[in-house]
Amino acid sequence: MSDLYISVNGEMMLANSLSINASDLAIQRGYGIFDFLVTVNGKPIFLEDHINRFYLSAESMHLPVLLDKSALIATIEALMQKNNLPNSGIRITLTGGNSPDGYSIGNPNLIISQSLFNYSNQVFDKGLKLITYEHQRQLPHIKTIDYLKAIYLQPTIKAAGADDVLYHFNEWITECPRANFFIVTNQEEVLTPKKNILQGVTRKKIFELNGYTIKEANISLDMLFSAKEAFISSSTKNILPVNSINGNLIGEGKPGPITRNLYEQLVQSKEISF
């Protein structure tokens, strides 16, 4: 897909022509933020929520954004028209900027890229295997480009035959590196951690779904293994059931009815067809 276009500081260019100065803090110190959204049939999904979170992350990281919200949305729309990818993922990245001393924030670079992406419902029926790991992300409320621990743990995850890792800290569950986490209790309440997490856009939309009590709560490690169901959520994964954690089955070890119903409601709200 080398012929795709990207937007760099408001200017369109071919993706393979992008160059970043070696003094940019994203390279020097891994300092920057991003957001990621999906388009379905040419429609950006939950665009306003992603844009709002992007600007909150930028403000929290003391990074000025070259474009205001309306100009950023117009640039995304222009990029979509240029690339003609109706089903795609769009990443908005804001770097720390070219730094004179490798430590001070410079003028951030705003990079918007697009890549082919299609949802699949085949992963849902398979479900996920997770392992737990004690770790607390820095600045968890900000969507930064720092995925050091998650990438460092990839060999460990693969060696365990797992699909991903579930973080906990001081015995309390937080999140997966790229997804929020939920459990369904024996009372059929749907719970998700409320502290020290990224406020996911899909997580927010799940609270708006019908038929169940869905609320934030403190979830302990012990609560995992008495859960009736468990699942994760993200923009690219929608809702995916968790069948086992650390080799222990969750519920019957297969996607549960509440998880499936919430998944179907979410897919319908996004107007996704398989």
Side-chain angles (χ1 to χ4, degrees):
M1 307 298 289
S2 60
D3 56 342
L4 288 178
Y5 284 85
I6 61 173
S7 171
V8 181
N9 297 326
E11 297 185 10
M12 295 288 178
M13 64 177 65
L14 286 169
N16 59 10
S17 65
L18 172 66
S19 63
I20 294 293
N21 195 300
S23 67
D24 195 300
L25 280 183
I27 297 174
Q28 291 286 328
R29 307 292 179 186
Y31 195 88
I33 65 159
F34 79 104
D35 220 292
F36 188 91
L37 61 110
V38 173
T39 69
V40 176
N41 297 324
K43 176 185 175 183
I45 304 299
F46 308 142
L47 176 61
E48 183 177 352
D49 294 283
H50 285 284
I51 295 295
N52 288 339
R53 185 174 65 178
F54 176 77
Y55 279 90
L56 284 173
S57 291
E59 182 180 8
S60 298
M61 291 282 276
H62 317 297
L63 295 174
V65 184
L66 178 67
L67 305 177
D68 63 21
K69 289 184 181 181
S70 60
L72 179 59
I73 291 172
T75 301
I76 291 171
E77 291 172 344
L79 184 67
M80 291 174 60
Q81 185 174 11
K82 189 82 170 174
N83 285 325
N84 191 28
L85 280 180
N87 297 319
S88 71
I90 294 178
R91 177 176 168 127
I92 314 165
T93 303
L94 190 66
T95 73
N98 300 338
S99 176
D101 57 6
Y103 211 62
S104 303
I105 294 173
N107 292 320
N109 289 298
L110 176 63
I111 304 165
I112 308 171
S113 57
Q114 187 178 21
S115 57
L116 181 66
F117 177 82
N118 285 290
Y119 284 114
S120 170
N121 64 352
Q122 295 177 352
V123 181
F124 182 91
D125 290 322
K126 179 183 176 184
L128 300 175
K129 298 178 181 179
L130 302 182
I131 58 171
T132 58
Y133 190 88
E134 184 161 17
H135 173 65
Q136 177 58 61
R137 290 195 306 109
Q138 293 188 82
L139 306 171
H141 62 291
I142 304 172
K143 196 168 179 67
T144 73
I145 62 174
D146 176 13
Y147 282 73
L148 187 150
K149 180 64 74 171
I151 295 171
Y152 169 80
L153 287 173
Q154 287 304 300
T156 302
I157 295 167
K158 291 177 181 177
D163 299 294
D164 210 344
V165 63
L166 175 62
Y167 293 144
H168 63 91
F169 192 70
N170 291 335
E171 300 298 314
W172 297 106
I173 299 300
T174 54
E175 59 193 351
C176 294
R178 297 174 295 170
N180 291 115
F181 180 78
F182 293 75
I183 63 170
V184 179
T185 69
N186 287 309
Q187 291 73 40
E188 298 195 345
E189 288 186 322
V190 181
L191 308 180
T192 188
K194 67 178 182 179
K195 296 190 298 184
N196 300 320
I197 62 162
L198 180 71
Q199 301 284 335
V201 170
T202 303
R203 175 183 183 272
K204 175 185 175 182
K205 299 303 177 181
I206 288 172
F207 282 105
E208 301 171 7
L209 300 179
N210 299 319
Y212 307 100
T213 299
I214 305 172
K215 61 184 183 180
E216 296 178 317
N218 294 321
I219 301 175
S220 68
L221 276 169
D222 290 340
M223 290 172 67
L224 293 180
F225 305 110
S226 61
K228 190 175 182 180
E229 302 176 30
F231 61 89
I232 65 170
S233 69
S234 79
S235 294
T236 57
K237 300 173 181 67
N238 287 320
I239 287 174
L240 288 181
V242 175
N243 293 347
S244 70
I245 300 177
N246 294 340
N248 299 299
L249 295 183
I250 302 299
E252 297 180 358
K254 62 182 181 180
I258 293 177
T259 300
R260 187 177 295 277
N261 183 267
L262 291 172
Y263 168 76
E264 290 171 350
Q265 289 189 58
L266 181 64
V267 167
Q268 185 176 13
S269 74
K270 290 185 172 186
E271 300 178 359
I272 302 170
S273 58
F274 297 107

